[in-house]
Amino acid sequence: MTIQQVLLLLLLWMWLPHPCHTEMLFRRTPDLRPRSFGGRALGNDGKTIHRQKRGWMWNQFFLLEEYTGSDYQYVGKLHSDQDKGDGSLKYILSGDGAGTLFIIDEKTGDIHATRRIDREEKAFYTLRAQAINRRTLRPVEPESEFVIKIHDINDNEPTFPEEVYTASVPEMSVVGTSVVQVTATDADDPSYGNSARIIYSILQGQPYFSVEPETGIIRTALPNMNRENREQYQVVIQAKDMGGQMGGLSGTTTVNITLTDVNDNPPRFPQSTIHLRIPESSPVGTAIGSVKATDADTGKNAEVEYRIIDGDGTDMFDIVTQKDTQEGIITVRKPLDYETRRLYTLKVEAENTHVDPRFYYLGPFKDTTIVKISVEDVDEPPVFSRSSYLFEVHEDIELGTIIGTVMARDPDSASSPIRFSLDRHTDLDRIFNIHSGNGSIYTSKPLDREISQWHNLSVIAAEINNPKDTTRVPVYVRILDVNDNAPQFAVFYDTFVCENARAGQLIQTISAVDKDDPLGGQKFFFSLAAVNPNFTVQDNEDNTARILTRRNGFSRHEISTYLLPVVISDNDYPIQSSTGTLTIRVCACDSRGNMQSCSAEALLLPAGLSTGALVAILLCIIILLVIVVLFAALKRQRKKEPLILSKEDIRDNIVSYNDEGGGEEDTQAFDIGTLRNPAAIEDKKLRRDIIPETLFVPRRTPSAPDNTDVRDFINQRLKEHDTDPSAPPYDSLATYAYEGNDSIAESLSSLESGTTEGDQNYDYLREWGPRFNKLAEMYGGGESDKDTS
């Protein structure tokens, strides 16, 4: 047997399935101490070949997934040629799942799997094995690596990524048209057996659709499927592994297939003749009615375009396609007249706008219908001969002059008479009037182009038999100009002449304006009303004129103002003129002709007293006045006397003192009894803090009753001070020392208290500081005296 045959047999044997394991030579880590092997061989060149001896070897392992036995699943056995069977070696396992999923017998080297293994979770495990001396714990063999491969079984059914698919295909498609492709996946190993080989079949949806077994492509199986007959189909596809053989696992999915629309149906009118009616008074653009052709298709395939192709009313009516409703709206194109024509006939065509050439054989994709339109008679309002009127009239016409006539008629066969009137909202000043019978418009007030050049009137025409039906027409009246206004100065001129002026000197340029508007434009002429020895007018012939002096020197002492009448006239017919008077003042000027002063009183001022000097004098006077006012105010403050302390007048005084007082035993500062008896202070006494200018007899005011509360007491005193003529004109502080009536709880003060001094302890007064030492000695001393006694 040759070497090639041996290798071929070895490969075939390695790929054969085994129940537990397959012998396999594992890759191992390099051995630093290689051992020699006694075998020899001769090479092709005659030299001796030595083979390196492996220190230890074991089988390659394969493990079947989904083991269902009760014991641990045996994987394989590790063995070293150094193992003498005396238990001196210890086998160690490390790597993927070592110690948990895979365990090894330290003495024998047997490997077991502790639980079921799923290949779909992990297809192989890489582990490392080593044999060590049990006593010295030193490795007797280098660490080697091996792989445990998991053999697949058919334990997974094919699955589709979607439970429900949605697809569409055009209607009328040929047999075999591709609809959609569905693909299932199998988690089993596709390289081992037929566990992952999937075959597709159709469980529901025949005979309309079919599926390719190998690819899962769904195709149409019937020709000319019509969406208008049936639109929705539900197809169930099965995917089965093991090549579709018995015992294979399967999965299903649902495909909802919709037939999409194509333009395979022409539009159709439901009626061959359509009748419509419209009043003759309908304005242009009025919608008369609509026509609609039905189309079994949808979307753009059902879009229809309408047109009028024939009839006796093609010039009177239009038809417009309404895109959202797919209707043809018939509208009025020209005004209708019942008396002229009462019936129109139209031929309307409806045609699809998107025609599919594949279905021309089903056409034509259009339809026609006859539309008859009847015009109804109505009582129409009057109709004017024009849509508007324009009249031109001169502004100087006499009152009652007719400026124009409007005409209207009744379009109905009855031909009722017409009554005309003016809308007074358009002629608030009542300048015009109209003859109600013949429509003649005449003036009722004078016209003035300069006030209003245009008048926009509105004339109303109504039938006498039916006044509610009215028609309006605009009438524009243009007022033509007549030369009835004289020219005037354009502005007011403030003219002056210098005292040192010379003859022929220009002192003013004047111009004029005219309210009239002649066709040839404005042209004015300037002249003097009479010969003036001082001034003259020179016309510039451009609607302006110059005022010139005729002599040298003017004096303000003699004449301070000159009046110069100037005549201004136009060149229109009739000629209008007016006289304007220029006021010319004589002023003092410098050498350059600049005005300095024009009043004659300015000559009386002393020479050299300029405007700056006058301002300085005025400021000094103001400062002196301010100083005098301040001095008077300070002097008045010094003359004020302080309030006089008076025991007699205790009503309106502020008592001030700097001593600490004697506490409650000090009764010299004021009369306590007075506070408790308001009646004791009713005697009016004169004010002593001011000196009254006039002495008045004191008035006796009624005393407050004993039961009057504090508020009434204060209000009474306030009223007395308000009406007291001897009260000072300045503000003062009035103190009302009135405690009010007795309280139910009686006084909280120690004055008139029923308790004895021995009942109270006044030691706390010493803690209040030096100011209360006197009180502390008075009350504290009394207690000590009492104790000693």
Side-chain angles (χ1 to χ4, degrees):
M1 183 180 292
T2 62
I3 297 177
Q4 290 80 0
Q5 292 176 343
V6 172
L7 292 176
L8 181 61
L9 290 177
L10 179 61
L11 290 174
L12 291 175
W13 178 80
M14 290 175 60
W15 284 104
L16 287 177
H18 294 272
C20 293
H21 63 273
T22 302
E23 292 185 3
M24 176 179 178
L25 186 63
F26 284 83
R27 179 177 62 85
R28 54 176 292 181
T29 55
D31 190 359
L32 300 179
R33 298 176 298 169
R35 298 189 180 189
S36 61
F37 184 70
R40 297 184 179 181
L42 295 177
N44 295 332
D45 54 357
K47 294 182 180 181
T48 302
I49 299 175
H50 296 274
R51 182 169 67 88
Q52 187 79 15
K53 180 183 178 182
R54 293 180 55 85
W56 57 318
M57 59 180 298
W58 56 88
N59 295 329
Q60 181 180 359
F61 303 120
F62 292 89
L63 189 63
L64 197 63
E65 69 168 335
E66 302 296 342
Y67 173 71
T68 59
S70 58
D71 298 332
Y72 289 166
Q73 187 178 5
Y74 180 74
V75 179
K77 184 182 182 65
L78 300 180
H79 183 71
S80 174
D81 56 359
Q82 300 293 325
D83 190 356
K84 305 300 183 181
D86 55 358
S88 60
L89 295 183
K90 179 181 179 180
Y91 294 96
I92 299 174
L93 189 65
S94 62
D96 295 341
T100 56
L101 180 57
F102 300 103
I103 59 175
I104 188 172
D105 191 328
E106 297 179 353
K107 295 182 180 180
T108 63
D110 292 331
I111 302 174
H112 292 81
T114 60
R115 59 177 175 83
R116 274 196 320 182
I117 298 176
D118 190 357
R119 191 203 65 84
E120 285 70 36
E121 294 181 2
K122 194 167 185 179
F124 63 91
Y125 295 85
T126 302
L127 295 98
R128 293 180 299 277
Q130 190 175 32
I132 63 174
N133 189 289
R134 190 178 293 274
R135 290 194 303 264
T136 62
L137 300 179
R138 297 182 64 181
V140 297
E141 292 290 347
E143 186 179 54
S144 295
E145 184 178 86
F146 65 97
V147 176
I148 299 178
K149 291 187 176 181
I150 310 302
H151 269 265
D152 183 46
I153 63 172
N154 189 18
D155 59 342
N156 292 279
E157 70 276 3
T159 58
F160 290 93
E162 301 289 341
E163 294 183 1
V164 178
Y165 289 85
T166 301
S168 61
V169 62
E171 64 173 335
M172 309 297 291
S173 297
V174 297
V175 176
T177 301
S178 175
V179 180
V180 69
Q181 182 179 14
V182 293
T183 304
T185 58
D186 196 322
D188 294 327
D189 189 0
S191 62
Y192 181 75
N194 294 326
S195 299
R197 184 187 174 192
I198 299 174
I199 297 297
Y200 300 94
S201 62
I202 185 168
L203 301 182
Q204 177 182 329
Q206 295 175 334
Y208 307 103
F209 299 95
S210 62
V211 63
E212 292 183 358
E214 299 291 339
T215 61
I217 298 176
I218 301 175
R219 300 182 182 274
T220 57
L222 284 181
N224 299 330
M225 287 191 293
N226 197 341
R227 183 198 66 83
E228 288 72 32
N229 296 333
R230 183 178 177 181
E231 185 176 2
Q232 298 288 337
Y233 295 87
Q234 189 176 75
V235 179
V236 179
I237 302 298
Q238 182 190 64
K240 191 173 184 180
D241 59 11
M242 298 299 292
Q245 299 177 2
M246 294 292 294
L249 303 178
S250 63
T252 60
T253 188
T254 301
V255 182
N256 293 326
I257 300 176
T258 302
L259 294 183
T260 58
D261 184 59
V262 297
N263 193 5
D264 59 340
N265 294 281
R268 290 289 181 263
F269 282 105
Q271 299 174 348
S272 59
T273 304
I274 300 174
H275 295 274
L276 299 175
R277 294 179 178 272
I278 183 172
E280 63 172 334
S281 59
S282 300
V284 174
T286 301
I288 305 174
S290 63
V291 296
K292 185 174 183 179
T294 59
D295 195 325
D297 297 322
T298 61
K300 69 176 184 179
N301 297 319
E303 292 182 359
V304 178
E305 187 72 26
Y306 297 91
R307 63 177 65 91
I308 300 174
I309 60 174
D310 198 6
D312 53 10
T314 55
D315 59 336
M316 300 295 295
F317 303 96
D318 279 333
I319 188 168
V320 180
T321 302
Q322 197 75 20
K323 296 297 182 181
D324 53 348
T325 61
Q326 288 299 306
E327 294 179 335
I329 308 299
I330 301 176
T331 60
V332 179
R333 186 176 182 180
K334 293 182 179 180
L336 303 175
D337 188 3
Y338 173 82
E339 288 72 24
T340 303
R341 188 168 191 139
R342 304 181 182 182
L343 181 65
Y344 294 91
T345 301
L346 304 176
K347 187 176 183 180
V348 178
E349 179 186 73
E351 182 180 9
N352 281 138
T353 56
H354 301 87
V355 180
D356 194 335
R358 296 177 300 171
F359 305 105
Y360 277 152
Y361 67 93
L362 298 176
F365 287 86
K366 57 185 176 181
D367 194 15
T368 59
T369 187
I370 301 298
V371 180
K372 294 185 176 182
I373 301 175
S374 300
V375 181
E376 298 178 343
D377 186 28
V378 295
D379 188 5
E380 299 177 85
V383 177
F384 284 94
S385 60
R386 301 179 187 176
S387 59
S388 64
Y389 293 87
L390 173 63
F391 300 136
E392 293 183 346
V393 60
H394 287 89
E395 61 178 329
D396 61 343
I397 62 173
E398 297 180 358
L399 296 180
T401 302
I402 296 176
I403 63 174
T405 301
V406 297
M407 300 179 63
R409 64 177 182 86
D410 183 10
D412 298 324
S413 57
S415 186
S416 299
I418 306 300
R419 181 185 299 274
F420 298 94
S421 62
L422 274 176
D423 185 357
R424 288 304 175 185
H425 292 90
T426 61
D427 184 27
L428 297 177
D429 296 332
R430 295 183 175 269
I431 299 176
F432 302 95
N433 211 337
I434 189 170
H435 194 283
S436 61
N438 57 20
S440 298
I441 301 175
Y442 58 91
T443 60
S444 58
K445 289 184 179 180
L447 303 178
D448 191 350
R449 188 199 68 86
E450 287 72 35
I451 296 177
S452 178
Q453 186 176 357
W454 285 91
H455 295 274
N456 300 325
L457 307 178
S458 180
V459 177
I460 304 173
E463 296 181 11
I464 295 179
N465 298 331
N466 187 10
K468 294 183 178 179
D469 288 339
T470 61
T471 304
R472 294 172 179 264
V473 66
V475 177
Y476 307 104
V477 181
R478 181 182 179 183
I479 310 301
L480 301 179
D481 184 46
V482 174
N483 191 26
D484 56 348
N485 293 278
Q488 298 176 351
F489 281 132
V491 295
F492 173 77
Y493 294 100
D494 184 12
T495 307
F496 70 93
V497 60
C498 294
E499 289 182 317
N500 56 358
R502 291 174 295 182
Q505 182 174 343
L506 174 66
I507 62 174
Q508 185 69 59
T509 299
I510 59 176
S511 62
V513 293
D514 195 337
K515 295 181 180 180
D516 296 323
D517 187 16
L519 296 177
Q522 301 281 1
K523 180 63 177 178
F524 303 121
F525 300 96
F526 300 89
S527 62
L528 292 178
V531 178
N532 191 296
N534 301 310
F535 304 97
T536 184
V537 175
Q538 182 178 351
D539 195 336
N540 297 328
E541 297 183 356
D542 59 354
N543 294 338
T544 63
R546 297 188 298 171
I547 307 298
L548 304 175
T549 58
R550 300 188 63 180
R551 65 183 180 88
N552 295 329
F554 293 87
S555 176
R556 285 180 292 171
H557 297 287
E558 298 176 359
I559 301 177
S560 61
T561 303
Y562 292 91
L563 299 179
L564 181 64
V566 178
V567 178
I568 310 172
S569 58
D570 56 22
N571 66 337
D572 203 358
Y573 181 81
I575 295 176
Q576 300 287 342
S577 63
S578 65
T579 301
T581 302
L582 283 177
T583 301
I584 304 174
R585 296 181 299 161
V586 180
C587 300
C589 303
D590 56 12
S591 59
R592 297 182 180 179
N594 298 323
M595 181 182 65
Q596 291 184 342
S597 176
C598 292
S599 61
E601 291 79 3
L603 297 174
L604 302 178
L605 293 176
L609 190 58
S610 62
T611 303
L614 293 176
V615 173
I617 294 173
L618 181 61
L619 289 177
C620 292
I621 294 174
I622 293 174
I623 293 173
L624 289 176
L625 290 177
V626 171
I627 293 174
V628 171
V629 171
L630 292 177
F631 180 76
L634 292 176
K635 187 175 181 181
R636 185 177 179 182
Q637 279 295 112
R638 293 178 180 177
K639 287 184 177 181
K640 287 185 178 180
E641 296 181 359
L643 293 177
I644 302 174
L645 299 178
S646 176
K647 294 183 180 180
E648 296 178 354
D649 191 359
I650 62 173
R651 296 169 301 167
D652 303 329
N653 294 334
I654 299 177
V655 181
S656 60
Y657 51 89
N658 296 325
D659 59 333
E660 297 182 358
E664 294 182 353
E665 294 182 355
D666 187 1
T667 58
Q668 300 299 323
F670 54 85
D671 187 1
I672 297 179
T674 304
L675 295 177
R676 296 174 180 169
N677 186 12
I681 60 172
E682 292 300 325
D683 295 337
K684 273 290 183 176
K685 297 182 180 181
L686 296 179
R687 295 284 300 270
R688 309 191 67 167
D689 53 347
I690 60 172
I691 301 176
E693 297 177 357
T694 304
L695 296 178
F696 294 90
V697 179
R699 294 183 301 166
R700 181 68 178 179
T701 57
S703 59
D706 294 340
N707 58 354
T708 304
D709 58 2
V710 177
R711 181 187 302 174
D712 295 339
F713 175 80
I714 293 176
N715 290 335
Q716 181 181 353
R717 292 296 183 267
L718 179 61
K719 184 176 181 182
E720 293 174 3
H721 278 273
D722 290 340
T723 57
D724 187 3
S726 62
Y730 51 86
D731 295 336
S732 63
L733 178 63
T735 303
Y736 304 102
Y738 174 56
E739 295 182 352
N741 294 333
D742 295 339
S743 173
I744 299 176
E746 298 183 351
S747 177
L748 300 179
S749 174
S750 62
L751 299 177
E752 298 182 358
S753 176
T755 59
T756 60
E757 296 179 356
D759 297 336
Q760 299 183 17
N761 185 10
Y762 299 97
D763 293 339
Y764 61 88
L765 295 176
R766 301 182 183 275
E767 300 175 358
W768 288 5
R771 294 186 177 183
F772 297 90
N773 290 337
K774 181 64 176 176
L775 290 176
E777 292 177 358
M778 292 173 60
Y779 290 93
E783 291 179 6
S784 62
D785 296 338
K786 185 180 297 185
D787 294 337
T788 54
S789 60

